[in-house]
Each structure stands twice: as C-alpha cells, then as structure tokens.
Amino acid sequence: MGGDARSAAASVAAAVREDRLWQRLMDMAAIGARPDGGVDRPALSPDDAAARSLLASWAREQGFSVSTDPIGNLFVRRAGREGGAAPVLTGSHLDTQPMGGKFDGAYGVMAGFEALQAMNDAGIETRRPVELVAWTNEEGSRFQPGCMGSQVFAGALPLEKALVSVDRAGTTAREALAAVLAGEPEMAVRDAGLPVHAYIEAHIEQGPVLEEAGLHLGVVTGIQGYRWFAVEVLGEAAHAGTTPRARRRDAFMAAHAMVGALRGIMEDAEDVARFTIGRFEGEPGSPNTVPSRVFFTIDLRHPEQGPLTRLGDAVEPLCRQHAGACEVRVTETFTAAPLVFDAGVLDTLRTAAGRQGIPYRELPSGAGHDAAFVAKLAPAGMLFVPCARGVSHHPAESATPADLATGTRVLAEALAELANR
Ligand code: GLV
Ligand code: MN
Ligand code: MN
C-alpha cells in the first residue's frame, strides 16, 4: 500500500467521533428499551423494523445507498471508485436477546456506520465500495437457527428453510420478514450472497479477558464451534393424585433423566465444553397433572471439532436411553464448525492497532458471530472491545464510550486499507 493510501486510512481513523458513535448507540438502545436498562428487540419484530428504519434514515442522510436481500439483511453502501469491485464489508446485528443489552450486535453496526461516516468526513475515496450490513436474526432466540441472515448470505442455509422457521407464537420467519419489509416499500432488493472482498466485524468481547488484562482492544483469532438441539419429550397427561408410578408416562421425569445423563458427559474436568439448557417448557403446566410434553433446547459449544462431534453425536442416543415410557424427538437446529480467521485480515487489524499505538490481546471468541458464516465466502476477521465484568446477554451489559471509539478507529483504518487493495 502506498503512503497516500496509508495516510488516507489514518485520516479516517482520526475522523471517528466518540460522541456521535455513543449517541447513535443510545438512540438505537431506545428502540425496545427495557425498564431495567437493557434492550428487548426480537429479530423481525416491529422494534427490529424500527431499528432498521432508523439506520436506513441515517444512511440516506449521508448519501449512502440502502438495500435489502431476500432474508432481510440490510446493506448500506458507500461507493468506491471502481463500482464493479467487490466491496469490503463490515457489520453485525440489530436483534437482541429477550433480556439483552445495548451493545451485543448494535456496536458492530454502529461502529461500521461511524467508519463509513468518518470516510465521508475525511473526504477520502476508496477503490472498492465499503458496505455496512445489519444481519437478520443473529441471536436465534426468536427464530432458530441463529445467524440466519449471514447463513443464507453465505449459502450455509437454504432461504426456504430459514423462512419456514416458526416462533413460539406460531408466526413464521416469512410472515415476520414480510411485515418488516412492508415498512420500507421503496427499498431496493438485491440478490443474496454477492461477492465480498473481505469482512470485519466489531463486537463487545462478552467475556472478561480484556478487562482483566487492562486492555482496550482484542484481535479475535477464531470462534468456537457449536451445535444446538431441540428435544421434545412426549408422555401422557394423567391425574397426579391417582396414577401409580408404573402407569405414568411422565414427560418431565424422562426429561429430567435425560438432562442428568447429558450433564454427566458434558461437564469436562477442564471446563472447556459449554452446555446450556436455555429453554425448558412443560405442558399442560398444571400442578396436579402429570406432564404430557416437555420441550427443551441444548446449546453445546467447544473450540475443537473432535469433542464437538463426539458430544453432539451423543445427545440423541442418550435421550433415547433415558426416555423410559415416553417418546423423544431430537432435532439439530443449528451447527457451526470451529473457525480460525483469515491471517491477512488479522494482520490488517494488528497493523492498524500498531499504527494507532493501541496494545491488544489476541483471543478466541466463545460467543458465536455472523463472521463465522461470512468467512465461508471471503477472508474475515473480528475485533473486540472490553465490556464491564464480561457481562453480556444481560440488561447490565456495558462498555465505555472511549473503548467503543478505540475499536471503531481500528475498524475504520482497517476497512479503508482493505478497500484500497
Ligand atoms: C450469540 O449471541 C451466541 O449465542 O453466541
Ligand atoms: Mn452478537
Ligand atoms: Mn448475542
């Protein structure tokens, strides 16, 4: 890269404005705000639609073009000199957990937007377009699987399969997406999965490593793999006072035995495997009726493919073994292999951090991110900024304006560099 391009990238970093970034994050956090300070903005909900419209309105003010694709990913494009060149892409997601915070996802989108605006303010041109994307339904808490938008974009999930996903109220992703898109009838619709030159996603760490090390930046080396399962245990409703044990088909007792057996294999001595039952529901939910149906979810994660395969493959046989008189149906709903990010993108991030004099730590991500799927299409990487006490997926999620701006400066410089290659 020549000196001119390098100084242009540095001037973009200098044009990043901490106050503007923070204000936009707070404006976004007002949409779906919870009384406890957190955010509840389910994927493809009216609040998600409002968040997208706010982002689109900011983009139009800056003269950026806005478009969507068949799964509702929202793209904001800053044109480059070579209109046909594959863009450099950055972004994250605007949907949140039901008890979510202000920064998981929104930070990567607002950091990307600030980087694009900083390019405008610095008056630089790039060879390639730079695009910001807000991926549809990263969290996977309303519709499974998560990373729905990035998976469809990368060809890892067929569009049709995504659209038939149903939430707890019986609404399909297709219906929810149609309602969101109806709010922006003028928006251009592009094809899914266009060529990408490189992708960088900024995110809060969601763990304690950077804060404990007293560092303000992380360069993310990769993402651990995960497998999600939905388990449905079917028994039979019966009177709680009169039905002897031998005649019961108690879905809760069967599910309890399954969970105990699963815990037994998942809890390794080194505490590396992550095993979570985040949803556990029983029917009919009456104190004096034997439960006829239990539904529960499993989120299993591991940084290595071998144990992830072995543990995940044990789920269904173990559930069958402990089903007793009940029936059990196990469905794998979401899979992501452990991933190592692109060496070239990581080098670009290291170089940008080095030039800005920001010490950083290299670390893997325990959380899942859209970057894992974009990495199937293009060289990808991520950067982290610390969050207070590593707390995330919680209303108390918090990060400082200064750290958020530090990450955005490194992001902006790296994007500008890549856009001139
Ligand atoms: C994303 O929030 C994840 O589940 O890691
Ligand atoms: Mn996230
Ligand atoms: Mn999340």
Side-chain angles (χ1 to χ4, degrees), residues 180 204 222:
V180 168
I204 57 165

Side-chain angles (χ1 to χ4, degrees), residues 92-93 104-105 138-139 201 203 206 368-369:
S92 194
H93 57 99
D104 175 5
E138 189 272 350
E139 295 289 2
E201 179 165 349
H203 210 282
Q206 306 181 278
H369 299 287

Side-chain angles (χ1 to χ4, degrees), residues 370-394:
D370 293 302
F373 295 97
V374 190
K376 294 179 186 297
L377 285 185
M382 287 187 73
L383 63 82
F384 278 166
V385 295
C387 57
R389 302 180 319 286
V391 169
S392 184
H393 285 192
H394 189 283

Side-chain angles (χ1 to χ4, degrees), residues 7-390:
S7 67
S11 70
V12 171
V16 164
R17 277 184 40 197
E18 179 181 314
D19 56 342
R20 186 166 64 188
L21 170 68
W22 181 258
Q23 190 55 52
R24 287 219 166 98
L25 278 161
M26 295 307 109
D27 291 349
M28 257 313 153
I31 303 175
R34 293 167 48 97
D36 56 12
V39 181
D40 176 10
R41 198 165 53 230
L44 302 178
S45 63
D47 281 336
D48 190 11
R52 290 156 179 261
S53 291
L54 182 59
L55 176 62
S57 72
W58 290 335
R60 291 183 186 115
E61 274 167 31
Q62 287 296 309
F64 302 141
S65 52
V66 183
S67 61
T68 187
D69 71 3
I71 190 63
N73 296 316
L74 183 71
F75 297 89
V76 172
R77 180 179 175 102
R78 183 175 189 269
R81 270 195 309 279
E82 294 175 19
V88 172
L89 190 63
T90 185
S92 194
H93 57 99
L94 291 174
D95 64 314
T96 72
Q97 290 284 319
M99 279 181 56
K102 297 183 179 78
F103 304 98
D104 175 5
Y107 171 53
V109 179
M110 295 305 106
F113 192 84
E114 180 59 34
L116 263 63
Q117 190 166 356
M119 288 177 199
N120 274 2
D121 291 354
I124 68 144
E125 275 194 335
T126 54
R127 184 185 149 225
R128 298 173 179 281
V130 183
E131 289 198 10
L132 166 67
V133 57
W135 300 110
T136 295
N137 182 31
E138 189 272 350
E139 295 289 2
S141 42
R142 179 178 181 196
F143 295 108
Q144 290 80 52
C147 296
M148 188 175 264
S150 53
Q151 288 204 73
V152 170
F153 185 82
L157 173 70
L159 175 64
E160 267 311 303
K161 205 169 163 193
L163 293 177
V164 297
S165 178
V166 182
D167 72 3
R168 278 155 129 173
T171 305
T172 61
R174 186 194 310 278
E175 291 160 345
L177 176 60
V180 168
L181 296 182
E184 291 274 352
E186 308 293 309
M187 195 177 286
V189 181
R190 55 196 254 173
D191 292 341
L194 297 172
V196 173
H197 178 65
Y199 176 74
I200 306 180
E201 179 165 349
H203 210 282
I204 57 165
E205 183 201 332
Q206 306 181 278
V209 174
L210 295 175
E211 187 184 63
E212 279 173 10
L215 291 167
H216 304 283
L217 184 75
V219 172
V220 185
T221 52
I223 304 183
Q224 71 174 339
Y226 43 103
R227 297 177 72 176
W228 284 14
F229 299 88
V231 182
E232 190 181 23
V233 186
L234 297 166
E236 190 173 34
H239 197 290
T242 60
T243 317
R245 253 198 337 257
R247 291 195 180 202
R248 289 182 184 221
R249 295 176 58 216
D250 184 330
F252 173 78
M253 290 304 177
H256 180 266
M258 292 172 198
V259 171
L262 289 165
R263 248 188 110 176
I265 62 159
M266 302 288 180
E267 293 188 352
D268 53 350
E270 306 76 24
D271 191 18
V272 175
R274 297 275 170 263
F275 171 66
T276 305
I277 295 183
R279 185 177 294 170
F280 194 98
E281 298 164 348
E283 289 172 22
S286 163
N288 48 354
T289 297
V290 173
S292 55
R293 179 181 179 270
V294 163
F295 174 85
F296 68 95
T297 59
I298 297 172
D299 176 318
L300 164 67
R301 308 196 190 200
H302 203 287
E304 292 164 46
Q305 186 63 58
L308 186 67
T309 302
R310 180 172 54 75
L311 293 170
D313 287 356
V315 169
E316 183 164 357
L318 218 49
C319 290
R320 292 205 176 289
Q321 196 183 323
H322 291 84
C326 296
E327 260 181 69
V328 60
R329 295 185 194 139
V330 179
T331 313
E332 185 157 1
T333 56
F334 189 12
T335 308
L339 175 95
V340 176
F341 281 128
D342 179 78
V345 173
L346 294 188
D347 255 342
T348 305
L349 288 168
R350 290 181 192 112
T351 304
R355 280 205 214 111
Q356 295 180 30
I358 301 161
Y360 59 88
R361 159 92 46 107
E362 303 207 357
L363 77 173
S365 175
H369 299 287
D370 293 302
F373 295 97
V374 190
K376 294 179 186 297
L377 285 185
M382 287 187 73
L383 63 82
F384 278 166
V385 295
C387 57
R389 302 180 319 286

